[in-house]
Amino acid sequence: ALFSSFGKINLINKSTEGITVSANNKSDEFKKMALDYHQRGRPGKLEVNPTKPCVTSQDLSLAYTPGVAEPCLEIAENPEKAYQYTMKGNLVAVISNGSAVLGLGNIGPLAGKPVMEGKAVLFKRFADIDVFDIEIDAPTVEEMVNTVKALGPTFGGINLEDIKAPECFEVEKQLIEQLNIPVFHDDQHGTAIIAAAAFINAIEITKRDIKKVKVVFSGAGAAAMACAKLFFSLGIKKENLIMCDTKGTIYKGRKEGMNQYKEFFEVDTKARTLGDAMKEADAFIGVSSRGVLTGEMVKTMAKNPIIFAMANPYPEIYPDEVAAVRDDAIMATGRSDFPNQVNNVLGFPFIFRGSLDVRASKINDAMKLAAVHALANLAKEEVPEEVKNAYGSDQEFKFGPKYLIPKPFDRRVLTRVAPAVAKAAMESGVAQNPIKDLEKYAEELEQRLSSNQMNFVRSLRNRLKKGITPTIAFAEGSNSRVLRAVSLLVEDGRVRPILLGKKKLIKKAMEKEGLLPQLDDIEIITPAKHEAYSDFSQQFFEERQRKGMTYPYARDLMSKENYFGSMLVKKKIVDGLVTGTSNSYPECFRSVMQVVGNTGHIKRSGVIILVLKNRVLFLTDCTLQINPSAEEMAQMACETAKLYEVFMNKKNPRIAFLSFSNFGSSNTADSVKIQKAMKLAREQRPDLQMDGEMQADVAVNFDILKKMFSFSHLEGPADILVFPNLSSANIAYKLLAQLAEGHAFGPLVVPLEHPIGIVQRTSSITEIVNMTTLTGIISQMMKAPEEGKQKEGNKS
């Protein structure tokens, strides 16, 4: 009854994310770090937050009495409405009696609580599922079943955790029969699903026939038995699987240490020990304990052996021990510091996500196999850059012996596994709320966990229309990050890249990056060898001959990629240019401006698009005009408004002219300048909401603005912030990007006469792709009016 009162679970304490510590050397320092992580600030790893406002008496009357009676009566009449009016449909119970906690054994329910809290964090982090962790003092099967069954009405699903075998089998079986919601013992099925996904890929890589594969299991507990049964579903023959426990092989006729569950795995074999079973074995699956597999045993295995040593944290054998005796083995463990980590987090969040969303009455074998194949197939796809960044550059991320299964931080696991599970639930008849459009469902899942930044990028990519493919030149054609970005752009198909530079160097760089086959057909332009080189040089000389330019110097500069690329844009031979990965921003800007120049009397300014958690802000001028005049500030405000309308696809952005003062509270020269700038801008664009001068908090917090300055022309928080000088703008955007976890796009140069994107020298591959997208959108926007004029001319 208490649980139903709370809101959703949020994650806290992210500060040690990314730290990897070897379990071989569990130092006092690591122990101190772990204890500090769990106790600092608010103790534990979870907190509960309401999802509805409760700040007024009206809110209180709706949240509790008398308003809460209405949904109660609706649910009493129709229990299905609990999914409409409560969090039941997104709430999972992680339940344990602490009888088999990790590798720690029977330490009891209270000592197991940190593990269950951790499980809750993973559910939320990877699948946006709310969790209550429940540790119960129920040592027997009957007590466990009765307690969990009684809690059933609260939850949309039950995740059983860390319950010892063989009791766990019976507990799960009875609860599945007695409850109409998914019940899943992750220690069994989670391990099995991830191991099976890795295993079928290992079978493919070693070109084996799964029906002939000989597999040896070390361990006969819950996880081992679940793995073995799932392997049978994949095609492993029962007679080809030998299971071993502490007494040796499980063979027909064995009496010692047997039970009804082990009897299912009896085989007719002369092997009596693990060592006997390992001779000529194709695969070893370890779900047992440290050091049970020796190098001598590995020597006796078949060619290209598959070894999954999944005991955690200390595997049955370490990869270096295998490498010492075999150079042809494919190895997986349960640890993050070795390739091919068989990690349950790849399974349970996404399996429950798909199950909850179709309101499955159970998680059946069809759903488990769907998860297996979804994971296995995802491992064969190109790995996104953000996944590589999360794990460091020393790991291999290409399908093969060292990359059998995806990584937990690969966001695509959610959009592959959950829809596959949901589809299997529907096809197998256990879905009570079928999903009509699984493709749309996958998109909704992606948005569910996406940051505002990712949603912004997605909206921009969708704006870059397919079929109107802009041609974008890249000045640093041999740069490795540029080539990686271009490979992603080619795959996406929304732009046509051209690389600038020496063809021999670019091809060599492609080969080094392993991109030669994919990028072999891309057009490469070497400026000095291009047919337009002389004409470009002559035009450049004529335009700048009274600014100290000589013809030989013009030819020399035009042989450089930045100058030549800018001229390609100016002459409309290409639609846009992206540059900046090898030179500083001022150097790139200077070369670009020498070619394209300013637009009439309007000076160029640099706009940063800052994507924060709950809003998108356009900041100007962040990179170019050091101390703009009132006239220049008015111009940059109006030009930034045009940019906003292009990228946000909205009219009438709200513009705030920022200062240290509010609406004439100061008569300093700076305040007067800003007042004048606002007045001039309003004359140029009377259709826009703009006001100033005002302080930054007033501009972005509409409650303050309404309360203190109700006369303001702004009808909401500002979308565009116009700063009084470069220092304040640059400092503000960099502080916000760091401290408010914002993401900065740009800078974009306005007016938008020439689509040229200058990235920072330290830009990542993703940032280069994003800038290319922005540049492509600008080019399409600029083409539209021209195409409209051409159509009008044709009509005439």
Side-chain angles (χ1 to χ4, degrees):
L2 288 173
F3 292 136
S4 60
S5 301
F6 295 106
K8 76 176 182 181
I9 293 172
N10 282 352
L11 283 70
I12 59 172
N13 290 339
K14 298 180 181 177
S15 58
T16 59
E17 190 172 298
I19 293 176
T20 302
V21 180
S22 172
N24 272 336
N25 302 298
K26 189 177 179 183
S27 63
D28 290 339
E29 182 184 356
F30 178 59
K31 178 181 178 180
K32 184 177 181 298
M33 284 171 59
L35 293 176
D36 180 57
Y37 175 87
H38 284 80
Q39 74 178 343
R40 71 172 177 265
R42 181 178 297 193
K45 297 189 285 283
L46 300 169
E47 64 181 358
V48 178
N49 283 327
T51 60
K52 304 296 187 294
C54 190
V55 294
T56 67
S57 59
Q58 174 77 354
D59 294 337
L60 185 59
S61 67
L62 292 172
Y64 199 51
T65 184
V68 74
E70 301 306 325
C72 290
L73 293 171
E74 292 285 318
I75 294 166
E77 186 177 333
N78 180 4
E80 284 297 302
K81 289 195 174 180
Y83 290 94
Q84 182 177 345
Y85 295 119
T86 76
M87 66 188 293
K88 178 181 173 74
N90 196 54
L91 183 62
V92 167
V94 172
I95 301 180
S96 177
N97 66 355
S99 58
V101 179
L102 291 177
L104 305 175
N106 187 357
I107 60 175
L110 184 59
K113 184 172 176 62
V115 178
M116 305 313 128
E117 283 190 0
K119 194 91 176 193
V121 169
L122 299 181
F123 265 107
K124 189 66 181 179
R125 167 64 177 80
F126 292 105
D128 191 30
I129 293 173
D130 300 320
V131 167
F132 292 148
D133 67 286
I134 301 175
E135 296 74 31
I136 57 177
D137 187 5
T140 68
V141 169
E142 184 180 8
E143 289 174 307
M144 278 287 292
V145 171
N146 289 340
T147 304
V148 177
K149 182 184 176 184
L151 292 168
T154 305
F155 300 100
I158 305 289
N159 183 103
L160 299 173
E161 192 75 18
D162 292 351
I163 305 166
K164 69 183 179 72
E167 287 89 340
C168 61
F169 303 124
E170 193 60 33
V171 169
E172 185 190 47
K173 178 175 176 291
Q174 290 189 32
L175 287 171
I176 289 173
E177 291 170 353
Q178 296 179 41
L179 292 173
N180 196 39
I181 57 176
V183 177
F184 187 81
H185 185 209
D186 188 49
D187 298 305
Q188 294 180 59
H189 311 299
T191 302
I193 288 165
I194 315 310
F199 187 74
I200 60 175
N201 278 343
I203 292 293
E204 179 180 330
I205 290 167
T206 57
K207 299 179 180 178
R208 286 182 162 93
D209 181 351
I210 199 165
K211 294 179 181 178
K212 298 178 181 178
V213 171
K214 179 184 175 184
V215 184
V216 176
F217 270 71
S218 174
M225 291 184 184
C227 284
K229 287 180 179 179
L230 200 52
F231 278 29
F232 293 151
S233 299
L234 295 175
I236 295 290
K237 297 292 185 183
K238 193 171 181 182
E239 61 268 23
N240 289 340
L241 189 149
I242 298 177
M243 186 171 285
C244 303
D245 61 11
T246 55
K247 306 296 182 184
T249 60
I250 297 175
Y251 58 88
K252 279 189 177 179
R254 195 182 105 171
K255 303 297 181 185
E256 188 181 8
M258 295 294 287
N259 58 41
Q260 59 175 320
Y261 304 105
K262 291 182 182 180
E263 287 170 2
F264 179 81
F265 297 97
E266 289 180 346
V267 290
D268 190 3
T269 179
K270 293 180 181 179
R272 293 295 180 266
T273 67
L274 177 62
D276 295 338
M278 290 296 293
K279 293 173 183 175
E280 293 302 314
D282 295 295
F284 168 84
I285 307 297
V287 203
S288 53
S289 57
R290 178 181 190 172
V292 300
L293 185 65
T294 67
E296 290 302 313
M297 295 179 192
V298 173
K299 282 183 183 180
T300 68
M301 295 181 74
K303 184 181 179 182
N304 299 320
I306 300 166
I307 300 171
F308 287 7
M310 300 184 294
N312 219 356
Y314 309 110
E316 287 81 1
I317 190 169
Y318 279 88
D320 58 332
E321 294 175 296
V322 172
V325 295
R326 299 292 293 256
D327 61 2
D328 60 343
I330 291 182
M331 184 85 194
T333 69
R335 292 173 51 138
S336 62
D337 49 350
F338 298 119
N340 299 323
Q341 182 191 16
V342 178
N343 190 330
N344 284 21
V345 76
L346 278 169
F348 66 83
F350 317 108
I351 293 164
F352 268 99
R353 181 74 276 160
S355 303
L356 292 174
D357 291 338
V358 294
R359 270 188 234 162
S361 57
K362 62 176 68 176
I363 296 173
N364 58 27
D365 288 343
M367 295 159 74
K368 295 171 194 172
L369 284 171
V372 169
H373 290 292
L375 285 169
N377 292 334
L378 179 56
K380 299 171 188 177
E381 296 183 28
E382 181 73 22
V383 179
E385 184 203 1
E386 56 265 25
V387 178
K388 297 176 183 178
N389 290 341
Y391 288 90
S393 59
D394 57 335
Q395 295 195 36
E396 191 170 329
F397 291 91
K398 186 176 181 181
F399 180 64
K402 293 186 177 181
Y403 187 74
L404 299 173
I405 44 177
K407 296 292 186 182
F409 283 99
D410 190 334
R411 300 175 65 89
R412 299 171 303 167
V413 177
L414 175 65
T415 59
R416 301 295 196 278
V417 177
V421 170
K423 182 181 180 184
M426 292 187 288
E427 292 176 348
S428 60
V430 297
Q432 300 173 89
N433 182 40
I435 294 170
K436 292 180 181 178
D437 188 339
L438 285 170
E439 189 174 330
K440 184 179 178 183
Y441 170 58
E443 292 176 2
E444 291 170 350
L445 287 174
E446 187 175 4
Q447 292 176 12
R448 185 169 190 151
L449 281 188
S450 290
S451 63
N452 200 28
Q453 170 203 335
M454 293 189 68
N455 288 330
F456 179 70
V457 172
R458 189 182 299 110
S459 69
L460 289 180
R461 287 181 68 253
N462 291 338
R463 296 279 311 286
L464 196 53
K465 302 167 188 172
K466 286 192 173 182
I468 316 175
T469 310
T471 300
I472 306 295
F474 292 83
E476 296 95 346
S478 61
N479 182 280
S480 61
R481 283 172 291 139
V482 167
L483 290 174
R484 287 284 174 191
V486 165
S487 72
L488 295 175
L489 292 163
V490 168
E491 185 179 341
D492 182 61
R494 284 179 167 84
V495 302
R496 174 179 171 261
I498 291 178
L499 299 175
L500 304 182
K502 294 180 179 177
K503 189 170 184 178
K504 189 175 180 180
L505 285 177
I506 292 174
K507 289 288 185 180
K508 188 177 179 181
M510 286 180 183
E511 188 175 8
K512 183 180 178 182
E513 294 295 320
L515 298 171
L516 194 54
Q518 182 186 355
L519 301 182
D520 196 39
D521 294 333
I522 283 202
E523 183 179 353
I524 298 172
I525 295 177
T526 304
K529 295 182 179 180
H530 193 266
E531 59 185 13
Y533 170 63
S534 294
D535 290 341
F536 284 5
S537 300
Q538 181 64 35
Q539 180 176 337
F540 188 46
F541 164 65
E542 290 173 0
E543 289 174 351
R544 298 192 64 84
Q545 59 189 340
R546 293 186 178 275
K547 296 181 180 179
M549 183 67 65
T550 64
Y551 182 68
Y553 189 35
R555 287 183 63 86
D556 180 53
L557 291 180
M558 199 49 61
S559 69
K560 300 180 187 303
E561 290 79 10
N562 268 340
Y563 287 88
F564 191 85
S566 300
M567 189 65 83
L568 286 174
V569 175
K570 184 174 182 176
K571 303 286 283 184
K572 298 185 179 178
I573 296 171
V574 299
D575 298 306
L577 173 72
V578 173
T579 182
T581 55
S582 300
N583 296 300
S584 69
Y585 188 89
E587 288 174 317
C588 290
F589 183 76
R590 192 180 305 114
S591 59
V592 166
M593 285 299 102
Q594 283 183 9
V595 176
V596 301
N598 281 315
T599 304
H601 65 286
I602 302 177
K603 283 189 178 180
R604 307 275 179 176
S605 57
V607 179
I608 289 289
I609 304 174
L610 191 62
V611 184
L612 302 170
K613 185 177 180 180
N614 297 314
R615 67 174 67 180
V616 178
L617 291 172
F618 283 56
L619 282 60
T620 187
D621 176 358
C622 299
T623 56
L624 296 176
Q625 296 196 46
I626 296 174
N627 190 20
S629 65
E631 290 75 13
E632 289 163 348
M633 287 180 68
Q635 289 167 359
M636 71 173 68
C638 294
E639 293 299 328
T640 305
K642 292 178 187 176
L643 188 72
Y644 180 94
E645 289 167 342
V646 168
F647 286 117
M648 301 304 291
N649 203 22
K650 292 180 185 175
K651 295 293 183 183
N652 201 19
R654 295 181 290 269
I655 304 173
F657 288 78
L658 300 186
S659 176
F660 65 88
S661 56
N662 281 312
F663 303 105
S665 63
S666 171
N667 290 320
T668 63
D670 281 344
S671 298
V672 171
K673 178 183 80 169
I674 296 163
Q675 293 166 19
K676 182 181 177 183
M678 192 271 295
K679 183 180 177 182
L680 291 169
R682 187 176 289 163
E683 290 171 358
Q684 293 177 38
R685 288 289 304 269
D687 58 310
L688 297 178
Q689 293 183 52
M690 59 178 73
D691 218 332
E693 86 284 19
M694 65 176 72
Q695 294 175 351
D697 58 341
V698 176
V700 298
N701 189 324
F702 190 55
D703 288 336
I704 298 176
L705 186 65
K706 271 192 311 183
K707 186 175 181 180
M708 299 184 64
F709 308 103
S710 58
F711 55 82
S712 173
H713 298 294
L714 299 187
E715 297 173 2
D719 303 305
I720 297 172
L721 303 180
V722 182
F723 288 83
N725 52 52
L726 182 81
S727 294
S728 58
N730 194 275
I731 290 168
Y733 101 74
K734 291 194 172 180
L735 274 175
L736 282 169
Q738 292 296 319
L739 300 181
E741 296 185 13
H743 189 88
F745 290 81
L748 292 168
V749 178
V750 293
L752 301 175
E753 188 182 32
H754 300 289
I756 296 175
I758 305 174
V759 299
Q760 305 285 348
R761 191 161 31 182
T762 55
S763 292
S764 67
I765 297 166
T766 299
E767 288 168 335
I768 296 169
V769 170
N770 290 342
M771 179 60 84
T772 306
T773 302
L774 298 175
T775 306
I777 292 171
I778 293 170
S779 73
Q780 285 188 348
M781 179 271 296
M782 292 176 64
K783 275 186 175 182
E786 293 178 7
E787 290 170 358
K789 289 176 185 177
Q790 189 175 0
K791 287 178 183 177
E792 287 299 318
N794 291 339
K795 285 179 184 178
S796 300

